[in-house]
Amino acid sequence: MRKQLTIGLFGFGCVGTGLYEVLNQTSLLQARIKHIVVKDATKKRQIDASYFAYDAEVILGDSEVNVVVELINDSDAAYVIVKRALESGKHVVSANKKLIALHLEELIALAKANNVSFLYEAAVGGSIPIIRNLEEYYNNDSLSSINGIVNGTTNYILTKTGEGQSFDDALKTAQELGFAELDPTSDVDGFDAKYKLVLLLKHAFGYTAKTEQVWNYGIRQLKTWDATYAREKGYKIKLLAFGTRVDDQVVGFVAPHLIPANHFAYNVENEFNAVVVEALFSDRQLFLGKGAGSYPTASAVLSDISALQFDYAYEYRKTNAQENLTLTTDFRLRVYVSGTTKEQLERVKFEEIQEIYHGSTHHFHIGWANFSDLQQLDWNNESDLFLAVLPEGLQLASTVYAEEGQLEAHAN
Ligand code: HSE
């Protein structure tokens, strides 16, 4: 049976205002916003002042509010709010990927103990319904990989810089359009994509990764010569969140990739996101949609609120059926690495260098490097270096050994 939902909303920024509007435009949902708690009492708002309050208790202490929608930027403050809301027996809908990636297990346990739902479709991929699909549609299909573009801001920047705009101008527009985080370093250095990947790994494979285990390298160090190299070779540079599973090993990282024209991500531009799921039975499927912005993100929040009318909760069946999965670093990547000087470039350890370029402005190496060797450098802060993964550029050590073993067996 549908139930009446009374919403307490935290935050009235880009997504919060979008939610207010999409809720007003949908007649199918028995849901109303009762209070909106915001930080800044001096800010002029477009809607009736009677909605607004400045004390979290107005929502948390109101027994009529049965749904808390948390859409604030500050993940520490959001943690306190979400915990208190779950403990008070209220359902929670959140879009806060950092909060969720950092505290997922605790929040799942709290929701369960208090017999309420904790939903977060809007935390990954904006309008793309990926979490619910992983939970429901692929519930019985064994997934082997999940990867894609999951950050709208960086995809917007890469699109615009590809068209000749400067990085700073493109970032500024992404901020104005409401795509970027309050601290855009989170977007630009791949943290935002990493938080989303942690949630994808959880729902795709049932693997609970700690955020500090997952390597994230963003696009801040991209230089004009890297963009030129990509263009001349027919590639585009895209920031991919990469998750794959082979037997009981999981690979998960975020890094720029050189994308050929036949790759699903090649024509995914601006703030669009795209996620490809590979599964044993359903094979390869692509999800495409707007990954950031007011209405697209609000539409995912709306969908979670709607699901609460029917008491929907994630089951985490893949986690519950957990085999002993481990996140491995025992693989190698085929990478392009450029450096402003030869000396800087030579600090990067390669297992096998296949191509070398020395020019007057920069230098690059292409070849295979062990992931664990690459991890020795703090790439987001190496201003003289840039790295991008090449197509088909991942080999798990276990696969290489298995293939070598097969070859030997064959030779014998
Ligand atoms: N800053 C995020 C992005 C917002 O650009 O993708 C949506 O999660």
Side-chain angles (χ1 to χ4, degrees):
M1 206 184 71
R2 288 182 183 208
K3 60 180 178 200
Q4 177 65 43
L5 302 174
T6 306
I7 299 169
L9 171 62
F10 284 89
F12 203 59
C14 176
V15 184
T17 48
L19 178 64
Y20 177 85
E21 285 169 33
V22 295
L23 263 176
N24 276 346
Q25 286 174 43
T26 168
S27 54
L28 295 173
L29 205 58
Q30 290 170 17
R32 72 172 177 111
I33 296 177
K34 184 172 180 191
H35 310 289
I36 305 174
V37 166
V38 289
K39 227 172 31 186
D40 186 354
T42 61
K43 200 166 165 184
K44 272 237 155 313
R45 316 267 171 192
Q46 300 296 327
I47 63 167
D48 200 302
S50 62
Y51 276 111
F52 294 99
Y54 309 97
D55 178 358
E57 285 310 310
V58 171
I59 288 177
L60 297 173
D62 184 337
S63 58
E64 200 198 352
V65 171
N66 51 4
V67 179
V68 164
V69 176
E70 179 281 303
L71 300 175
I72 64 174
N73 287 310
D74 178 343
S75 60
D76 294 334
Y79 173 62
V80 177
I81 289 164
V82 168
K83 249 180 95 166
R84 282 265 290 114
L86 295 172
E87 283 163 354
S88 316
K90 299 183 192 306
H91 301 294
V92 173
V93 174
S94 171
N96 201 319
K97 47 264 155 154
K98 181 174 180 187
L99 156 82
I100 305 165
L102 287 175
H103 302 287
L104 186 55
E105 292 308 299
E106 183 190 356
L107 298 176
I108 292 172
L110 261 184
K112 201 166 171 209
N114 291 283
N115 202 20
V116 287
S117 303
F118 177 46
L119 304 180
Y120 42 82
E121 186 65 68
V124 186
S127 64
I128 300 176
I130 188 67
I131 301 286
R132 194 103 54 89
N133 270 293
L134 291 173
E135 272 291 299
E136 302 301 323
Y137 186 87
Y138 297 103
N139 214 3
N140 297 300
D141 204 346
S142 178
L143 301 191
S144 56
S145 84
I146 182 145
N147 58 75
I149 298 173
V150 291
N151 181 268
T153 302
T154 44
N155 205 41
Y156 184 85
I157 295 172
L158 290 168
T159 304
K160 295 299 170 197
T161 50
E163 292 166 3
Q165 233 182 65
S166 77
F167 189 102
D168 290 346
D169 284 351
L171 172 58
K172 196 162 162 274
T173 318
Q175 287 175 302
E176 284 162 6
L177 292 169
F179 303 154
E181 300 301 301
L182 194 62
D183 172 8
T185 318
S186 183
D187 296 296
V188 168
D189 285 352
F191 286 93
D192 180 82
K194 182 239 292 272
Y195 301 139
K196 291 166 176 168
L197 179 60
V198 166
L199 302 186
L200 291 175
L201 295 177
K202 177 75 177 173
H203 289 274
F205 307 139
Y207 181 72
T208 312
K210 290 200 176 7
T211 53
E212 61 273 17
Q213 287 179 292
V214 179
W215 187 65
N216 60 289
Y217 174 48
I219 59 166
R220 190 154 47 101
Q221 312 303 355
L222 176 68
K223 311 283 187 307
T224 46
W225 48 75
D226 304 314
T228 307
Y229 172 83
R231 205 170 30 249
E232 283 174 3
K233 296 285 173 189
Y235 296 134
K236 285 184 186 168
I237 299 171
K238 298 284 183 189
L239 186 68
L240 293 191
F242 190 91
T244 193
R245 180 186 165 178
V246 178
D247 302 327
D248 56 0
Q249 296 187 79
V250 172
V251 171
F253 66 91
V254 173
H257 283 59
L258 290 163
I259 300 291
N262 62 359
H263 190 280
F264 72 86
Y266 189 83
N267 289 317
V268 180
E269 303 282 44
N270 296 313
E271 77 272 33
F272 275 83
N273 282 190
V275 178
V276 160
V277 175
E278 288 189 61
L280 187 61
F281 306 125
S282 50
D283 209 328
R284 211 158 178 264
Q285 291 178 309
L286 169 67
F287 294 77
L288 175 72
K290 285 195 173 169
S294 178
Y295 285 178
T297 313
S299 76
V301 176
L302 185 74
S303 176
D304 278 350
I305 295 172
S306 172
L308 287 175
Q309 286 193 311
F310 307 98
D311 288 321
Y312 178 72
Y314 302 139
E315 276 186 71
Y316 300 99
R317 270 183 55 183
K318 288 192 169 144
T319 307
N320 300 335
Q322 253 268 28
E323 299 116 286
N324 283 329
L325 299 180
T326 50
L327 191 74
T328 183
T329 56
D330 202 5
F331 60 94
R332 59 183 203 159
L333 294 175
R334 186 162 179 261
V335 288
Y336 157 97
V337 181
S338 72
T340 47
T341 64
K342 243 176 108 188
E343 293 68 34
Q344 288 294 344
L345 183 57
E346 277 162 5
R347 290 168 53 230
V348 182
K349 191 170 167 203
F350 276 79
E351 200 185 45
E352 180 192 341
I353 296 181
Q354 297 167 320
E355 204 179 319
I356 296 177
Y357 169 83
H358 295 303
S360 56
T361 54
H362 68 285
H363 311 260
F364 69 74
H365 287 168
I366 284 176
W368 289 97
N370 287 322
F371 183 66
S372 44
D373 289 334
L374 293 175
Q375 281 185 306
Q376 298 310 313
L377 290 174
D378 177 10
W379 286 86
N380 278 319
N381 293 310
E382 287 284 349
S383 59
D384 291 313
L385 297 173
F386 176 73
L387 172 150
V389 180
L390 283 147
E392 313 290 327
L394 184 138
Q395 281 182 341
L396 268 172
S398 54
T399 317
V400 176
Y401 300 148
E403 277 169 9
E404 281 169 1
Q406 275 170 16
L407 284 178
E408 272 170 33
H410 193 70
N412 293 336

